[in-house]
Amino acid sequence: MPRITVFSIFVDDQREALAFYTDVLGFRLKADMPMGEHAWLTVVDPAHPDGTEISLEPAEHPAVGPFRAALAADGIPFTSFGVDDLDAEVARLTELGVRFTQPPLDFGPVRTAVLDDTCGNLIQLAQHVS
Amino acid sequence: MLFRALADSTRRAILDELAVRDDQTLFEICSRLAVNHGLTPTRQAVSQHLDVLEDAGLVHSRREGRYRYHTLDTSPLREITRRWPVPGDA
């Protein structure tokens, strides 16, 4: 069966997105292959350098703008990343100037917060609580 | 307008959740309804409930950048005790 090797996030600007996803969130650059005016640009979890890559995709297609604007207006995260200690991570990111549209809240088996990735997406951070 | 807004149990649950904290996105309200009330209406339905609450002055929404936040305003509820004063209350 197919394996999950890459998933994509549309970003306003690939270089700014790379800076945010590496310098701020803490992922590591994996692939950076020029493709015309853009690049095949991926990052990975530094603890799993051969694990699933996130492709930072140009958001140029005309359908992407309205799609992301509608999600953002309703506060809906495009995807979710796992963290071990949500409150510590939110404190660390807030210190770095990251903006949250939802502070840490308990929702049943998960504690979540939602951040603005500065590249056009809301991202949920989730900690599983037992 | 006020009484119609209050006459629906889902809208009352939305008010319960907005009482917890200000500036909630539609996503947060929907999550709260699901987890805290076992309610899973569609986002469109919740959005329509919020419109009714906003028309009654019980909820204010504001856009900040690309995001819309909702906040509870209980001041229209004064109309209730003004019409039917509670004995002993000032």
Side-chain angles (χ1 to χ4, degrees), chain A residues 49-119:
Chain A
D50 296 318
T52 306
E53 296 170 55
I54 303 168
S55 168
L56 305 174
E57 295 272 343
E60 285 188 340
H61 190 282
V64 174
F67 164 70
R68 292 202 304 167
L71 289 185
D74 288 347
I76 301 171
F78 181 76
T79 192
S80 180
F81 297 132
V83 293
D84 292 330
D85 183 340
L86 182 71
D87 295 85
E89 189 62 10
V90 168
R92 181 185 77 83
L93 293 170
T94 302
E95 185 74 17
L96 292 171
V98 175
R99 193 174 147 208
F100 284 81
T101 60
Q102 181 212 296
L105 294 173
D106 289 309
F107 288 121
V110 288
R111 184 165 172 79
T112 69
V114 179
L115 64 84
D116 180 335
D117 78 352
T118 71
C119 318

Side-chain angles (χ1 to χ4, degrees), chain A residues 68-69 72-77 99 101-103 105 107-108 114 116 120-122 124, chain B residues 21 23-28 31-32 35-36 43 47 63-70:
Chain A
R68 292 202 304 167
D74 288 347
I76 301 171
R99 193 174 147 208
T101 60
Q102 181 212 296
L105 294 173
F107 288 121
V114 179
D116 180 335
N121 307 292
L122 290 176
Q124 177 171 272
Chain B
R21 72 176 208 96
D23 287 337
Q24 296 184 27
T25 63
L26 181 61
F27 175 76
E28 179 174 341
S31 303
R32 286 173 173 279
V35 174
N36 299 334
R43 285 203 174 86
S47 193
R63 260 196 109 90
E64 190 182 308
R66 306 162 57 237
Y67 311 117
R68 183 184 296 281
Y69 297 102
H70 304 83

